[in-house]
Structure formats: structure tokens, C-alpha cells
Amino acid sequence: MDTIPFTPRRFQTAAAHYLQGRPAYAASLFPRIARLCGLGHGHRVMDLGCGPGQIAVALAPFAGEVVGVDPEPEMLAIAAETASRAGVPVQFRQGSSYDLGPDFGRFHLVAMGRSFHWMDRVETLRRFDGMVDPGGAVVLLHDDHPKVPDNRWVKPYRDLIERYAEGDSARAMVRSPGWLSHTAVLLDSPFSRLEEIAVIERRHIPADTLVHRALSMSGTAPGRIGDNADALIAEIEVLMSEFVAGGMVAEVVTSSALIARRPDNA
């Protein structure tokens, strides 16, 4: 199976835009994850590829210890600030899926947001099998935009992003016909018993959120597109002018969690 080559600093210049740009996962999703996974204050949680720490911070109230792991120092600095503002204790550690081993200890739950596709997914799940407690789970969080009238701007916006991200081999790999879905990978892993939950919310976001969203993506991060960043911003502003009302844009976001357990955890 194809694996994207590991580039530790891929999100260095995207980090500053991530929290402002990316859709937040629905807050109501996390109590449900905790309940379904039997997460309690005696348990450890890992947020692997934690970025600026949204998942780690959101799960901290339900766990005894949370560890956020990411290869990008800029992301970890923002994550530490995020946890401090939220007043929750989270440990952050620089590293990646390629560093996983016994020194991390054991966990009841390992969560990943927009990070699993950057890893050697088969090898990562194999390592998790030696780190996740019996009865524990691997959880993949995802966000998407359902096809509803409020989201009529999403396709032209994505098309614009794709044009500026042209030549990004990692992006092309994930979008190729031969790329296996996370579900397919999980079904052939030690964590093959799957359950999915989702929350759908209508939101209104400041128009400049979509500028930050574009710049938070590795394919269109400022460090990758350089002088083209100004042109991208200008095109986003023109495109979204049709959809802005009172400085805000409506969007409907689906926040989902794919919960994967071992088949013998009945």
C-alpha cells in the first residue's frame, strides 16, 4: 500500500492559520466518544498528530492523562497555549507515528484527527496493537460538508484550492483512485470492529476564516506557494463575496468519529 513520504516540517507555515481556519469538531461529539469507549479518569489518551491540540484538549476532561504528539514544533507551541487557555492538563511531545514504541506507555484510547493519512497506516495500527489496552479503541475524527444549500460555495472553493495546490504529490496520492480509505485499512487491521457516530451543525463563520483555512493546508501553506499566497487570498475574497452576508458565511459541518476496536472486545 502506498504511504506518503514523511516530511516532518510540512505544516510549519500552516500552523499559525490552523485554529482560525479549520472547522472545529462538534463539542457534543466528545462526551459520546468517551461514553462509547468507556473512557474514565483512570485512563490515558493519546492524540497522535495533534496539531494545535483541539482533540487532546476536548478529551482531557474525560481522561486521567492526555498526551499530544506532533512532529511540528510550531503546532506544539500553539497546542500548549490552547491547553493553557482551556485550563486542562495535557502533555505535549514532539514526535510522529514513526517514533511509537514502548517508551510511550499504554493507552485506553488513541485519537487522530486530520493526520492518519500522513502515516504508514498499516504499521501504525500494528504498533497500536501493542500499546492500546484490552477493551481500548482507536478513534479517527473527520469533518466534512454535506450537500445542502448553505454549502453551495464549498465545491468552487475546493476547486480553487486544488488549482493552487497543483504539483503537491502528497495531495495527489490521497486523491488517486488507488488510495485505500481509512475504513478499508482498519477492516484489515487488529482494530476491525467499527462504529461511526456523527454530529451535523449549521454555523456562521467570519469570511476571513476561509483565507486561514486555505493557508492552513499543507498544499497551499504560505511556505509552499510563496508569492502566490496573495493571489490565492484575492481569489478567495472574490469567490466568497457572493456568499457573504454581514461579514459572515454560512456552512453546515458534519463532525464524525470512526471508532475502531479489536473484534474480541464484544
Side-chain angles (χ1 to χ4, degrees):
M1 177 173 33
D2 289 338
T3 298
I4 297 172
F6 179 49
T7 307
R9 305 304 305 272
R10 181 181 292 275
F11 282 88
Q12 180 179 8
T13 60
H17 303 278
Y18 206 96
L19 283 178
Q20 288 177 270
R22 297 296 183 101
Y25 299 110
S28 61
L29 195 62
F30 294 96
R32 295 176 63 188
I33 292 170
R35 184 172 64 252
L36 288 169
C37 294
L39 184 61
H41 292 287
H43 292 140
R44 298 181 77 222
V45 171
M46 178 192 294
D47 178 5
L48 182 60
C50 67
Q54 309 105 304
I55 294 172
V57 168
L59 287 174
F62 305 100
E65 180 181 340
V66 178
V67 180
V69 181
D70 200 273
E72 175 48 57
E74 295 291 336
M75 285 290 195
L76 292 174
I78 296 169
E81 292 177 7
T82 302
S84 178
R85 285 197 303 270
V88 294
V90 179
Q91 300 175 31
F92 291 104
R93 173 171 176 170
Q94 187 173 354
S96 75
S97 61
Y98 296 96
D99 300 313
L100 294 175
D103 61 306
F104 279 79
R106 298 190 64 85
F107 297 87
H108 184 78
L109 187 152
V110 175
M112 291 169 283
R114 308 170 183 103
S115 61
F116 192 41
H117 59 285
W118 297 112
M119 307 175 192
D120 181 332
R121 295 176 290 172
V122 171
E123 174 61 16
T124 299
L125 291 168
R126 186 194 68 77
R127 296 191 190 195
F128 285 162
D129 195 27
M131 300 173 66
V132 174
D133 293 331
V138 174
V139 179
L140 303 182
L141 285 93
H142 179 65
D143 63 85
D144 202 0
H145 291 80
K147 292 183 178 179
V148 297
D150 279 348
N151 289 341
R152 63 192 184 279
W153 58 268
V154 171
K155 185 181 185 307
Y157 176 81
R158 288 177 175 169
D159 290 344
L160 175 58
I161 298 300
E162 288 298 324
R163 178 154 53 83
Y164 276 83
E166 188 175 0
D168 181 1
S169 58
R171 197 176 186 89
M173 186 180 295
V174 172
R175 285 159 175 72
S176 68
W179 181 262
L180 285 181
S181 69
H182 293 340
T183 299
V185 175
L186 285 164
L187 285 170
D188 287 332
S189 81
F191 301 90
S192 59
R193 185 161 68 91
L194 308 182
E195 178 179 4
E196 190 165 28
I197 58 174
V199 176
I200 301 173
E201 297 175 320
R202 173 182 274 139
R203 304 171 180 176
H204 292 85
I205 59 173
D208 67 354
T209 297
L210 296 171
V211 170
H212 289 290
R213 187 170 299 176
L215 299 178
S216 76
M217 298 177 186
S218 65
T220 47
R224 180 180 182 275
I225 63 174
D227 292 342
N228 287 329
D230 288 342
L232 171 59
I233 292 168
E235 287 205 50
I236 291 172
E237 291 172 347
V238 170
L239 171 66
M240 296 309 301
S241 62
E242 176 184 348
F243 306 102
V244 174
M248 307 294 281
V249 176
E251 69 173 343
V252 176
V253 177
T254 301
S255 301
S256 62
L258 180 59
I259 301 170
R261 301 180 180 90
R262 298 180 180 92
D264 57 345
N265 296 150

